[in-house]
């Protein structure tokens, strides 16, 4: 029976007459896999795969009974076969350590285990319903390669403790990107007999293909089909109509009717734009942003593609039911670029009265006419207007005229009272401010009990310069901190033992020191350091063992 989803079944391996003990281990998972969450029912394709057992589907196997399964593809393909146990566990059955070649030939029937193989399968507890799933692809994909690698490392490796989580979260997602793949499923009962109900399948219009748990079973109408008790997923396909899917809980000895009034299939239109991220409007309604697949009813529709800073694209298209159409538009920018530069630079730029930054400043603006103002303290502002066209880059360069005002410099110190010399001339004690000339200047500041401070600065016309100095008292000592890995090394400073690591904040006079670390079983560590006044020199040593 044909299946298009990912399932799994419990089978216990026996090598010749030795039971494979690992398969006897029971994992306590309270809930079985949810069938509707592990079924894929794709539209029919040209690539097909079938799997069946040595008994009819849904048969009961007694504990200890040998079991075989068979499969066939209609194209050369890579295959993987798994089981899904009632506990929800997934175990890889093929490929395996004994039969590792999973690239099979088209239209050839394979048996697992193969005839003459050195192993066989034997059904074992617990009782319940089990699924066997085969997945086939004409080209390998990462998970298929991973299954092959697992089969080489382990006899029958467990893929997951939770089939539903693995299939929904990993396998289904990866299959979405596989170009050509198919799957099939069969099932059996171990140590128990199936209970069944009856289901009648109908649709309007009739003739829809019926997929029961991913398996094609015929076309509507189809009456009184025997179905195992439990949860099932039913899908109808009819060309020109949207697929219909329903979950049905079948109880033993009861009858059900699954009826669907099929809706006319919509068309799919994929909108793409350069650049992406444009709004999609169809018949005036916003439906998302590019790139995106949009479902529409058959017929003629109008569209608009809008993006801020670009000209809107307008058009129409016509689609039939089931069509897939791609509409790609290249948006023309509605913006231009204006570059503001000034001499001197760092002037503030205002466009239509709004602050934009300091020169040099590049702005992207919608095409139009704008006013600008460029201003810098101590200079006469430059003003004007410009017109920007779509796609245009405009340069606005101005040379600012200085306002004739002498610059000011303010000297401050902590603590106050320092003598200030500007360009070699005494100008007062801090805090002190004075006017000076534009250009380069040098200064010295003296405060009793502190080292002299000096520096230079450049000042422009109209500028106010702040010189702030913090005097730090002369310190005639420093510190040494030594750590080691491992700890406990003896620390010698200039040949004298000062302690063991970690040694923190050992006070010394400023100068040059030789630090030696000794620890039994480790090589001698030696480092020369210079300790500056008021500074802490740190040594972080990693000792090397003999």
């Amino acid at each position: 029976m044909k299946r298009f989803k990912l399932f799994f079944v419990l089978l216990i391996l026996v090598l010749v007459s030795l039971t494979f003990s690992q398969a006897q281990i029971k994992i306590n998972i309270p809930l079985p896999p949810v069938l509707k969450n592990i079924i894929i029912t794709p539209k029919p394709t040209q690539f097909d795969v079938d799997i069946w057992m040595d008994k009819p589907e849904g048969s009961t196997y007694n504990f200890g009974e040998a079991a075989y399964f068979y499969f066939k593809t209609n194209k050369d393909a890579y295959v993987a076969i798994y089981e899904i146990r009632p506990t929800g566990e997934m175990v890889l059955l093929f490929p395996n350590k004994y039969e590792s070649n999973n690239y099979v030939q088209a239209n050839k029937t394979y048996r697992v285990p193969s005839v003459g193989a050195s192993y066989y399968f034997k059904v074992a507890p617990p009782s319940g319903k089990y699924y066997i799933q085969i997945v086939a692809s004409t080209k390998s994909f990462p998970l298929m390669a991973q299954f092959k690698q697992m089969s080489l490392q382990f006899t029958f490796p467990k893929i997951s403790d939770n089939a539903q989580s693995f299939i929904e979260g990993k396998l289904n997602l990866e299959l979405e990107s596989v170009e050509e793949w198919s799957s099939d499923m069969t099932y059996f009962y171990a140590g128990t007999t199936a209970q069944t109900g009856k289901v009648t399948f109908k649709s309007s219009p009739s003739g829809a293909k019926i997929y029961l748990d991913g398996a094609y079973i015929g076309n509507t109408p189809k009456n009184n089909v025997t179905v195992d008790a439990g949860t099932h997923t039913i899908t109808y396909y009819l060309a020109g109509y949207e697929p219909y899917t329903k979950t049905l809980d079948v109880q033993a000895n009861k009858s059900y009717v699954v009826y669907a009034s099929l809706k006319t299939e919509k068309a799919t239109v994929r909108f793409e734009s350069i650049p992406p991220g444009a709004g999609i409007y169809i018949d005036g309604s916003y439906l998302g942003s590019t790139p995106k697949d949009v479902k529409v009813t058959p017929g003629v529709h109008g569209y608009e593609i809008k993006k801020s800073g670009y000209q809107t694209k307008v058009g129409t298209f016509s689609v039939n039911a089931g069509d897939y159409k791609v509409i790609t538009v290249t948006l023309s920018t509605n913006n231009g670029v204006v570059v503001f530069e000034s001499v001197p630079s760092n002037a503030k730029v205002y466009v239509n009265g709004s602050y934009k930054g300091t020169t040099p400043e590049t702005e992207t603006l919608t095409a139009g006419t704008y006013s600008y103002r460029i201003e810098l303290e101590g200079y006469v502002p430059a003003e004007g207007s410009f017109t920007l066209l779509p796609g245009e880059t405009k340069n606005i360069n101005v040379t600012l005229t200085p306002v004739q005002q002498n610059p000011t410099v303010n000297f401050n110190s902590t603590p106050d009272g320092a003598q200030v010399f500007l360009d070699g001339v005494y100008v007062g004690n801090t805090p002190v401010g004075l006017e000076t000339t534009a250009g380069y200047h040098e200064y010295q500041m003296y405060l009793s009990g502190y080292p002299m401070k000096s520096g230079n600065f450049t000042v422009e016309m109209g500028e106010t310069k702040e010189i702030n100095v913090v005097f730090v008292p002369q310190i005639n000592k420093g510190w040494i901190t030594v750590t080691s890995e491992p700890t406990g090394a003896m620390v010698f400073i200039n040949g004298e033992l000062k302690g063991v690591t970690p040694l923190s904040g050992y006070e010394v006079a400023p100068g040059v020191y030789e630090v030696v670390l000794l620890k039994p079983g480790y090589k001698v560590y030696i480092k020369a350091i210079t300790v500056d006044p008021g500074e802490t020199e740190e040594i972080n040593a990693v000792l090397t063992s003999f």
Side-chain angles (χ1 to χ4, degrees):
M1 181 176 291
K2 181 68 189 168
R3 295 290 187 274
F4 290 93
K5 187 58 201 174
L6 308 172
F7 290 110
F8 230 93
V9 176
L10 173 65
L11 292 179
I12 303 300
L13 170 67
V14 178
L15 299 176
V16 189
S17 61
L18 177 64
T19 300
F20 178 50
S21 60
Q22 182 180 354
Q24 302 284 357
I25 297 174
K26 297 180 181 178
I27 305 297
N28 182 21
I29 298 178
L31 294 176
V34 180
L35 187 64
K36 66 180 181 179
N37 292 335
I38 55 176
I39 291 180
I40 298 175
T41 309
K43 292 183 178 180
T45 66
Q46 300 299 315
F47 180 42
D48 194 22
V49 60
D50 295 287
I51 190 167
W52 64 96
M53 298 188 68
D54 55 321
K55 286 186 177 184
E57 184 171 79
S59 295
T60 297
Y61 285 79
N62 297 319
F63 295 141
E65 185 176 354
Y68 301 89
F69 51 87
Y70 303 82
F71 68 89
K72 180 172 67 174
T73 63
N74 65 349
K75 294 184 179 182
D76 291 352
Y78 295 89
V79 301
I81 302 173
Y82 335 85
E83 63 179 4
I84 295 182
R85 303 175 176 179
T87 59
E89 295 173 280
M90 296 179 66
V91 178
L92 182 65
L93 300 180
F94 181 85
N96 56 57
K97 265 193 174 183
Y98 306 97
E99 298 182 276
S100 60
N101 182 13
N102 66 332
Y103 187 70
V104 301
Q105 298 177 13
N107 301 314
K108 179 180 177 180
T109 298
Y110 290 83
R111 192 186 87 165
V112 180
S114 62
V115 176
S118 60
Y119 70 100
Y120 62 92
F121 293 125
K122 185 166 70 175
V123 178
S127 61
K129 185 177 182 179
Y130 302 90
Y131 300 92
I132 293 181
Q133 172 73 28
I134 183 170
V135 176
S137 61
T138 53
K139 294 182 180 179
S140 187
F141 56 94
L143 264 182
M144 184 68 77
Q146 181 179 331
F147 294 152
K148 174 66 175 289
Q149 186 62 33
M150 291 170 65
S151 73
L152 298 175
Q153 296 176 345
F154 307 98
T155 305
F156 291 92
K158 182 193 297 183
I159 295 175
S160 174
D161 284 328
N162 190 320
Q164 177 180 329
S165 175
F166 181 85
I167 291 167
E168 287 184 320
K170 191 167 187 179
L171 189 52
N172 285 352
L173 295 177
E174 191 159 313
L175 285 173
E176 290 177 2
S177 61
V178 176
E179 181 177 349
E180 189 173 32
W181 69 275
S182 185
S183 68
D184 191 21
M185 181 274 288
T186 188
Y187 67 93
F188 70 92
Y189 288 86
T192 186
T193 302
Q195 300 185 50
T196 62
K198 296 288 186 180
V199 181
T200 294
F201 302 92
K202 294 182 178 181
S203 69
S204 177
S206 61
K209 293 184 176 182
I210 307 165
Y211 287 84
L212 177 63
D213 296 336
Y216 172 68
I217 62 170
N219 293 1
T220 59
K222 192 173 181 68
N223 300 319
N224 295 321
V225 178
T226 300
V227 177
D228 291 349
T231 302
H232 299 273
T233 298
I234 298 157
T235 303
Y236 292 166
Y237 281 119
L238 183 62
Y241 293 85
E242 294 183 359
Y244 170 84
T245 299
K246 177 182 177 63
T247 299
L248 179 66
D249 291 320
V250 176
Q251 297 183 17
N253 304 316
K254 290 190 176 183
S255 297
Y256 303 83
V257 176
V258 177
Y259 172 80
S261 179
L262 301 179
K263 297 179 180 180
T264 302
E265 185 178 14
K266 292 184 177 181
T268 301
V269 181
R270 181 171 181 81
F271 287 91
E272 299 177 345
S273 68
I274 304 173
I280 303 168
Y281 295 81
I282 297 181
D283 300 331
S285 297
Y286 174 73
L287 298 178
S289 57
T290 59
K292 185 176 183 180
D293 288 343
V294 177
K295 295 287 188 180
V296 296
T297 58
V300 178
H301 300 271
Y303 70 86
E304 294 177 285
I305 309 298
K306 300 179 180 181
K307 185 175 177 66
S308 177
Y310 293 85
Q311 299 176 33
T312 299
K313 285 285 187 180
V314 179
T316 61
F317 62 90
S318 176
V319 289
N320 298 316
D323 282 356
Y324 184 85
K325 182 185 290 288
V326 179
I327 296 177
T328 302
V329 300
T330 299
L331 300 176
S332 300
T333 181
N334 196 38
N335 294 337
V337 175
V338 58
V339 180
F340 296 93
E341 295 181 304
S342 69
V343 179
S345 60
N346 295 318
K348 296 179 179 179
V349 178
Y350 296 84
V351 176
N352 284 355
S354 296
Y355 174 71
K356 298 298 182 181
T358 58
T359 57
E361 173 68 16
T362 300
E363 289 291 321
T364 299
L365 303 173
T366 303
T369 299
Y370 298 86
S371 63
Y372 70 88
R373 178 182 175 90
I374 299 175
E375 59 183 47
L376 182 64
E377 187 176 358
Y379 292 82
V380 178
E383 297 180 308
S385 63
F386 61 91
T387 298
L388 191 63
L389 301 176
E392 179 186 12
T393 297
K394 183 178 290 291
N395 293 289
I396 295 179
N397 302 300
V398 299
T399 299
L400 300 175
T401 301
V403 174
Q404 295 303 314
Q405 181 178 352
N406 289 330
T408 300
V409 57
N410 295 318
F411 292 93
N412 301 283
S413 71
T414 302
D416 290 338
Q419 294 181 336
V420 180
F421 291 80
L422 180 61
D423 297 328
V425 177
Y426 172 71
V427 295
N429 291 2
T430 58
V432 61
L434 68 153
E435 287 189 355
T436 187
T437 57
Y440 176 84
H441 298 274
E442 295 181 348
Y443 67 88
Q444 297 81 37
M445 298 174 68
Y446 300 89
L447 185 62
S448 178
Y450 297 86
M452 182 267 291
K453 296 287 187 178
S454 63
N456 60 75
F457 61 90
T458 299
V459 66
E460 297 177 353
M461 290 294 296
E463 182 183 3
T464 298
K465 178 74 71 174
E466 299 288 337
I467 305 296
N468 299 299
V469 171
V470 176
F471 286 93
V472 178
Q474 182 71 42
I475 299 176
N476 291 318
K477 60 182 177 181
W479 297 269
I480 298 175
T481 292
V482 184
T483 63
S484 70
E485 180 62 30
T487 60
M490 294 184 292
V491 182
F492 293 82
I493 300 177
N494 283 355
E496 295 183 6
L497 177 63
K498 301 299 182 182
V500 297
T501 58
L503 180 65
S504 178
Y506 185 81
E507 183 177 315
V508 295
V512 178
Y513 293 88
E514 180 183 71
V515 178
V516 178
L517 302 185
L518 297 179
K519 184 176 177 65
Y522 292 85
K523 295 180 180 179
V524 177
Y525 178 92
I526 302 175
K527 184 174 182 180
I529 59 173
T530 299
V531 179
D532 295 322
E535 299 294 329
T536 296
E537 187 68 17
E538 294 185 0
I539 296 177
N540 300 299
V542 177
L543 302 182
T544 303
S545 61
F546 289 109

